[in-house]
Amino acid sequence: MKIGIIGCAGRMGRMLIKQVSETAGCTVAGGTEAPGSSFLGEDLGPLAGQVKLDAVVTDDTAALFDTVDAVIDFTSPKATVQHAKLAAEKGKILVIGTTGMTNEEQAEINAAGSSGVIVQGANMSLGVNLLAQLTRKVAAILDEDFDIEVLEMHHRHKVDAPSGTALLLGKAAAEGRNVDHDAVADRGRDGITGERKRGDIGYAVLRGGNVVGDHTVMFAADNEIIEISHKAGDRAIFARGAVRAALWAKDKPAGTYDMMDVLGLGD
């Protein structure tokens, strides 16, 4: 499978180059960066500490889609929407690891799935997706005597909060309780907030250092607390999941899929 990487000179982009290069059945077929980037024209291999790959960094995303089987995108919401439209136009696979979408942006990505094969994951790690399944099941078993709080910490450079993974977990909890997530989500507390509302799903956000991603879902009742957690030590886990998603999507019909589909955890 020929795989292209958008944002190939960034931290995740370089990790993806390495992962694709080391995965049987895959080749790095190209990569893009923004116009004016100092990396334009460079071979992708040395960017990731690999041998030359005879594929250079360009700023022509449309041309990249023409020459590959799948594209992996961990960039920004606005850019990802445009890439989803390109995937639909050209009938290619797009694997999305971008987070922080608005409802409108997500709707545009979903619409693109009518013509392209899109695999989107708030988190590409196997462990996090298992955590989401556990969260859903525990939330379904425990009633509202158990308050649900989602805690997350990431590196100082992360720009969206709560993280896409935290929201994935909160939405899994809401699904378990069969409630509308947006109606019960408490995404920020400051000042005199009053008592905690029964049934809410709360979020707490920490930023600092170079933390790749720590997530905990807490179920707190009087006199007992249940916690389930995942700690990411290296971005390689996200790159592995993204490449696995691209391989899984080969020959799939047009549609919008997620990592639960890729991992066979849907039900």
Side-chain angles (χ1 to χ4, degrees), residues 10-22:
R11 287 175 296 176
M12 267 308 303
R14 294 174 192 235
M15 190 69 71
L16 286 163
I17 294 169
K18 184 175 186 294
Q19 186 64 44
V20 173
S21 299
E22 295 175 353

Side-chain angles (χ1 to χ4, degrees), residues 9-243:
R11 287 175 296 176
M12 267 308 303
R14 294 174 192 235
M15 190 69 71
L16 286 163
I17 294 169
K18 184 175 186 294
Q19 186 64 44
V20 173
S21 299
E22 295 175 353
T23 300
C26 296
T27 59
V28 178
T32 61
E33 275 293 332
S37 168
S38 61
F39 296 101
L40 296 179
E42 290 195 24
D43 190 279
L44 272 68
L47 282 178
Q50 307 291 296
V51 299
K52 283 193 173 184
L53 298 173
D54 295 324
V56 299
V57 182
T58 76
D59 59 7
D60 191 340
T61 307
L64 178 68
F65 273 91
D66 286 332
T67 58
V68 300
D69 301 308
V71 170
I72 301 177
D73 178 2
F74 281 73
T75 57
S76 67
K78 184 177 180 180
T80 297
V81 168
Q82 298 308 311
H83 303 151
K85 292 176 180 178
L86 275 172
E89 175 188 331
K90 297 176 180 294
K92 299 298 177 76
I93 296 166
L94 177 64
V95 177
I96 298 173
T98 307
T99 60
M101 308 289 184
T102 64
N103 290 337
E104 292 77 15
E105 288 164 340
Q106 187 60 55
E108 291 190 78
I109 289 170
N110 293 343
S114 63
S115 302
V117 180
I118 294 175
V119 184
Q120 183 177 12
N123 190 299
M124 295 290 176
S125 117
L126 171 60
V128 162
N129 284 281
L130 287 171
L131 176 59
Q133 278 289 71
L134 288 170
T135 298
R136 184 178 294 107
K137 291 181 181 297
V138 174
I141 293 168
L142 301 178
D143 63 20
E144 290 185 351
D145 285 342
F146 283 82
D147 300 320
I148 301 176
E149 293 286 320
V150 182
L151 292 74
E152 60 105 335
M153 182 170 184
H154 282 84
H155 52 87
R156 63 173 68 92
H157 303 292
K158 188 165 180 61
V159 298
D160 57 310
S163 69
T165 301
L167 292 170
L168 169 73
L169 297 171
K171 289 175 181 177
E175 289 170 9
R177 285 194 170 168
N178 196 28
V179 296
D180 178 4
H181 170 265
D182 291 346
V184 299
D186 186 352
R187 295 177 55 161
R189 301 180 180 116
D190 183 39
I192 307 300
T193 61
E195 290 187 2
R196 189 187 199 281
K197 184 178 177 182
R198 181 177 171 86
D200 274 1
I201 296 173
Y203 289 89
V205 175
L206 300 174
R207 294 287 178 265
N210 64 348
V211 177
V212 174
D214 292 353
H215 295 87
T216 296
V217 183
M218 178 185 295
F219 297 85
D222 292 348
N223 303 316
E224 63 177 329
I225 295 175
I226 300 167
E227 294 182 352
I228 47 180
S229 299
H230 179 272
K231 295 182 184 294
D234 194 304
R235 288 180 180 81
I237 64 173
F238 311 131
R240 281 199 301 269
V243 175

